[in-house]
Amino acid sequence: MQVRIEGVTKSFGDHPALKDLSLKVGSGQLFALLGPSGSGKTTLLRLIAGLERADAGAVYFGDVDASRIPIQRRRVGFVFQHYALFRHMTMFDNIAFGILVRRKEFTHTRDSLRRRCLELLDLVQLSGLEDRYPHQLSGGQRQRVALARALAIEPSLLLLDEPFGALDARVRKDLRRWIRELHTKTGHTTLFVTHDQEEALELADAVVVLNDGRVEQIGTPEQIYSAPASPFVFNFIGDSARIPGSAINGGWRGPRPPEDADIFIRPQDVTIVGPHEGAIHGDIVGVRRLADIRRVVVRTGAGDIEVNVADGKPTEMGAAVGLQFDKWRTYRNGVLLQRD
Amino acid sequence: MTARSFRGPAVTEPPWARWLLVAVVLTILAILLVLPLAVVFIEALKRGAGVYLAALSDPDALSAVKLTMIVAAISVPLNVVFGIAAAWAVTKFRFPGKSLLTTLIDLPFSVSPVVAGLIFVLVFGARGWLGPWLRANSIEIIFAVPGIVLATTFVTLPFVARELIPLMESQGVADEEAALSLGANGWQTFWRVTLPNIRWGVLYGVLLCNARAMGEFGAVSVVSGHIRGLTNTMPLHVEILYNEYNFAASFAVASLLALLALITLFAKSALEWRYSSELAAGRGH
Ligand SMILES: Nc1ncnc2c1ncn2[C@@H]1O[C@H](COP(=O)(O)OP(=O)(O)OP(=O)(O)O)[C@@H](O)[C@H]1O
Ligand SMILES: [Mg+2]
């Protein structure tokens, strides 16, 4: 099912959480909502699910205005940020809940209901845990049960609010692949919320970057990563440094007056060169070890710039160096000037 | 409170001070609580089991027990319904006058029971606002069972609600929202999700409410009229017998009330021990 969000505004008291937001999610697509804490991601999901009412604008399911569909009949599978599993029910009963309360739609016999629930448990790789209660499961297991419960109602739209929020980095990676496979297998239109850019880029067909209740950019992971539409997106997607300078016809002319344009640059796109070469000069003031690379901090007239340095290259504290920029993006007043 | 919190790391007093404090508290408890309770049973059984049983099987005593049961059987369910409805409204919705409602719920606790009884006499009594109309339709409320039920319900009104409000507040609406999004209607959500989540809290409130409903004296005394065999509840009957110098019988009936208190206390502790995590953390009584 295709979902269209048109000009939606939502405030809590006088605090606007969503500001004139529009978005279209194609049928069967996997979209990531990416944004910092408080940017309105959960609010947007709740609005789509029918748990909040928009102040202005509308949500369309296909061609139908969703505000005409009561929440119970929207068939939206919602996996909540904090799971919201029914604590007094076993895993089995949690999963069966949606089917049991919709007896009219699902004509299950006892046997077929049981089979269906066990099938779903199997799908989320929790076979054998059907008699456990929520407090007897780990965070990741709860998360997967919440997912199975949402899948049980055969949703036309799946909303996942930080589905990997409570998990450690390793398990997150595994679950990420697994969600991708699950999506390929079931083909539900899916929106998932994350504030982990790596997760969004790896997993989604398209990424929506939210900032302060507005859409900053919508695009494929490739577009988001290589052509961030605004300094905010550039910054949010990975480490970066901002260098003020001047630009003519979209071409950057270096860190010199008039400072009418900024370039943004990533640590991997900077090379350390001799002290009299390069576009900008400074001293090495820090060296840090990251997982697979060394990170050198160079203090320049335009502020501290971080540079990735391959192992084996000498990096001396206090050494005067020049920096050569291999790739960058230029923005003026928050708008991307130059593209490749 | 558990024994664990007693030996918290924050305790800085010397041991003798701690023991002194404990001894003082235990002595006061013994004098004010345990001793009177023991006296009730000793006095009741002083003249032997025969007298004790005779006092309890006296028709007036039996009818007092029966009336007390009836009153509790009506007012406790009323309280449960009101308590759940009030707690639901206060914790799951936003509406104007919400804080006023929260304050009003506590009114019966802050008003003297005698005053509560008098309010009902003023409204429903022969010379009260509705008195002439009630008489014209031959409805009896004051000096009859309905008045006793009304007064008891009023006095016990806050018990279930006060137990549930903090509990439901801490649980939030996440479970209900999950149920709705899974397709449950309001009714199904209440029976399958909300009620099971608060069942031990409800039971806890019912216990306290029941103990108070059976033991209420002040408000009931004002509206009952003390008609033996008709409008006498157990506490009133105890007083009548006592005023007639019939101590053995008086204490016999009183011992039933004391027994009720002990059972309530025991059940309450059992609930707290077993389901502490599902009861409200910050309860006020
Ligand atoms: N029920 C509410 N009442 C008042 N303000 C709210 C409410 N829900 C959300 N907000 C506000 O709306 C804004 C967006 O909140 P939202 O929960 O959508 O953020 P989020 O992007 O999901 O953040 P996080 O990543 O921390 O979950 C926040 O500033 C928040 O304080
Ligand atoms: Mg959120």
Side-chain angles (χ1 to χ4, degrees), chain A residues 41-42 81 161-162 193:
Chain A
K41 307 180 297 289
T42 299
Q81 197 163 0
D161 199 349
E162 305 221 13
V193 161

Side-chain angles (χ1 to χ4, degrees), chain A residues 10-13 15-18 34-46 52 81-82 161-162 193-195 210 212-213, chain B residues 94:
Chain A
K10 171 75 188 172
S11 301
F12 294 104
H15 172 85
L18 297 176
L34 181 64
S37 186
S39 56
K41 307 180 297 289
T42 299
T43 306
L44 180 57
L45 286 201
R46 289 173 57 82
E52 303 283 356
Q81 197 163 0
H82 306 288
D161 199 349
E162 305 221 13
V193 161
T194 176
H195 51 224
L210 284 188
D212 198 19
Chain B
R94 265 171 285 170

Side-chain angles (χ1 to χ4, degrees), chain B residues 193-276:
Chain B
V193 175
T194 306
L195 199 56
N197 275 348
I198 59 171
R199 59 194 158 176
W200 302 116
V202 173
L203 191 56
Y204 193 95
V206 162
L207 271 177
L208 296 180
C209 175
N210 184 57
R212 179 72 191 268
M214 291 191 166
E216 174 56 25
F217 180 82
V220 169
S221 170
V222 176
V223 299
S224 126
H226 304 263
I227 309 166
R228 277 193 168 207
L230 278 181
T231 64
N232 245 359
T233 60
M234 281 160 73
L236 300 185
H237 195 60
V238 171
E239 197 213 12
I240 289 182
L241 291 172
Y242 189 84
N243 287 342
E244 291 171 349
Y245 303 104
N246 193 350
F247 296 132
S250 168
F251 277 108
V253 179
S255 74
L256 290 183
L257 285 171
L259 203 63
L260 169 74
L262 288 179
I263 292 172
T264 304
L265 210 61
F266 177 78
K268 181 171 157 295
S269 310
L271 263 184
E272 276 168 4
W273 175 75
R274 176 77 179 74
Y275 297 106
S276 55

Side-chain angles (χ1 to χ4, degrees), chain B residues 5 33 55 73-74 78 90-91 93 102 110 119 130 137-138 141 147 177 187 206 218-219 233 240 242 283:
Chain B
S5 49
L33 295 178
I74 299 173
L78 280 179
V90 167
T91 57
F93 303 129
T102 327
S110 47
I119 294 170
L130 300 177
N137 292 281
S138 49
I141 291 187
E177 288 181 343
W187 196 240
V206 162
T233 60
I240 289 182
Y242 189 84
R283 79 171 52 84

Side-chain angles (χ1 to χ4, degrees), chain B:
Chain B
M1 281 284 115
T2 61
R4 249 175 296 133
S5 49
F6 182 77
R7 276 187 273 119
V11 175
T12 54
E13 292 83 1
W16 65 264
R18 256 183 279 161
W19 290 116
L20 185 68
L21 200 60
V22 171
V24 167
V25 170
L26 285 181
T27 313
I28 292 176
L29 275 181
I31 295 176
L32 289 182
L33 295 178
V34 181
L35 196 65
L37 203 61
V39 166
V40 169
F41 287 103
I42 292 169
E43 284 291 325
L45 292 164
K46 202 160 68 179
R47 295 217 233 129
V51 176
Y52 181 77
L53 288 178
L56 290 186
S57 51
D58 173 70
D60 286 348
L62 282 181
S63 94
V65 171
K66 196 172 134 201
L67 181 59
T68 297
M69 301 271 213
I70 291 174
V71 169
I74 299 173
S75 62
V76 172
L78 280 179
N79 265 306
V80 171
V81 171
F82 170 81
I84 293 177
W88 181 286
V90 167
T91 57
K92 315 245 159 170
F93 303 129
R94 265 171 285 170
F95 57 90
K98 180 165 148 170
S99 60
L100 184 69
L101 178 62
T102 327
T103 315
L104 270 183
I105 289 174
D106 275 346
L107 181 71
F109 275 177
S110 47
V111 128
S112 160
V114 176
V115 176
L118 280 175
I119 294 170
F120 285 106
V121 173
L122 269 178
V123 176
F124 299 109
R127 279 177 228 169
W129 293 355
L130 300 177
W133 184 86
L134 289 171
R135 207 170 24 213
N137 292 281
S138 49
I139 302 172
E140 275 188 281
I141 291 187
I142 298 304
F143 304 146
V145 176
I148 299 176
V149 171
L150 268 179
T152 307
T153 308
F154 176 86
V155 170
T156 55
L157 203 60
F159 276 107
V160 176
R162 275 180 55 130
E163 187 56 39
L164 292 185
I165 287 172
L167 176 63
M168 288 168 84
E169 207 125 70
S170 71
Q171 288 183 345
V173 293
D175 283 17
E176 279 79 10
E177 288 181 343
L180 291 177
S181 80
L182 288 168
N185 58 35
W187 196 240
Q188 287 169 320
T189 303
F190 176 74
W191 285 106
R192 288 166 181 257
V193 175
T194 306
L195 199 56
N197 275 348
I198 59 171
R199 59 194 158 176
W200 302 116
V202 173
L203 191 56
Y204 193 95
V206 162
L207 271 177
L208 296 180
C209 175
N210 184 57
R212 179 72 191 268
M214 291 191 166
E216 174 56 25
F217 180 82
V220 169
S221 170
V222 176
V223 299
S224 126
H226 304 263
I227 309 166
R228 277 193 168 207
L230 278 181
T231 64
N232 245 359
T233 60
M234 281 160 73
L236 300 185
H237 195 60
V238 171
E239 197 213 12
I240 289 182
L241 291 172
Y242 189 84
N243 287 342
E244 291 171 349
Y245 303 104
N246 193 350
F247 296 132
S250 168
F251 277 108
V253 179
S255 74
L256 290 183
L257 285 171
L259 203 63
L260 169 74
L262 288 179
I263 292 172
T264 304
L265 210 61
F266 177 78
K268 181 171 157 295
S269 310
L271 263 184
E272 276 168 4
W273 175 75
R274 176 77 179 74
Y275 297 106
S276 55
S277 62
E278 294 177 52
L279 292 169
R283 79 171 52 84
H285 41 83

